[in-house]
Amino acid sequence: MDSSLVVRAQQGDRGAFTDLVDAIGGRLHAIAFSVLRDRELARDATQQTLLAAWQELPRLRDPDRFEAWTCRILVRACRRESRKASHWLPAMAEVDETGPAVPDETTAVIARDRIERAFHRLNLDQRLVVVLSYYLDLPPAMIADHLDVPVGTVHSRLHRALHVMHA
């Protein structure tokens, strides 16, 4: 991220902020959707994040930390949206494990469904570390920075998340 662009945006340059949004907006929305699993909630969380970033940008002390800073704002927005939402999963019959041995389209759908259901069993903190680790391929130290938590917390949340998903 170009820190001079961040500095210009901090000084009220709307064009510079638009360039920043163009650079990170899609990524923020992808993170929000991956965590919340709902397009409307993700859109709301992303919009809240960008609005808060614009309003709070003059108080950002280190322009080089803009991306991690916006990610922390996004995490808070995702938490708010998650609390507002009432998620439900339809009752689905268990799939017979003795299905076809050769992968086909149905097998792929079943696998995606299992992953989705396992992901829904995670709490928001666990979802965040899974998305940042596996979707964005961020190292634990960077995830800790984005979430403003110790690295050990990232490791424990990821460990618990994987345990819950395999249960």
Side-chain angles (χ1 to χ4, degrees):
M1 184 68 46
D2 182 7
S3 62
S4 66
L5 197 59
V6 176
V7 170
R8 288 187 13 234
Q10 284 181 302
Q11 296 168 345
D13 183 337
R14 290 176 186 231
F17 187 73
T18 299
D19 291 344
L20 291 171
V21 169
D22 289 344
I24 66 165
R27 184 173 175 152
L28 292 173
H29 186 265
I31 293 168
F33 177 74
S34 296
V35 169
L36 296 169
R37 312 309 286 176
D38 181 284
R39 292 191 195 291
E40 293 303 316
L41 294 176
R43 185 174 300 131
D44 289 347
T46 305
Q47 288 175 349
Q48 289 172 23
T49 298
L50 296 173
L51 178 61
W54 174 250
Q55 292 170 338
E56 297 174 23
L57 191 56
R59 292 187 289 273
L60 176 63
R61 286 178 280 201
D62 184 357
D64 290 327
R65 313 239 331 113
F66 176 76
E67 194 167 352
W69 177 73
T70 54
C71 194
R72 283 193 295 275
I73 295 171
L74 179 67
V75 167
R76 290 192 301 268
C78 286
R79 288 184 198 286
R80 282 191 300 274
E81 289 303 313
S82 179
R83 282 192 298 268
K84 287 192 316 190
S86 59
H87 293 287
W88 64 273
L89 290 175
M92 296 183 191
E94 287 297 317
V95 178
D96 181 17
E97 297 290 331
T98 61
V102 177
D104 63 1
E105 200 171 303
T106 305
T107 306
V109 170
I110 291 168
R112 279 194 308 271
D113 179 61
R114 284 183 181 153
I115 292 169
E116 187 69 22
R117 283 199 254 169
F119 195 76
H120 275 284
R121 289 194 301 263
L122 302 178
N123 66 38
L124 188 63
D125 290 329
Q126 293 166 336
R127 287 182 190 183
L128 285 165
V129 295
V130 168
V131 168
L132 294 174
S133 180
Y134 292 102
Y135 178 74
L136 294 180
D137 200 28
L138 296 179
M142 193 174 284
I143 295 170
D145 186 45
H146 279 46
L147 299 180
D148 199 25
V149 299
V151 175
T153 301
V154 170
H155 287 293
S156 65
R157 286 179 184 172
L158 190 55
H159 176 77
R160 286 188 202 118
L162 296 177
H163 178 74
V164 167
M165 289 184 78
H166 285 99

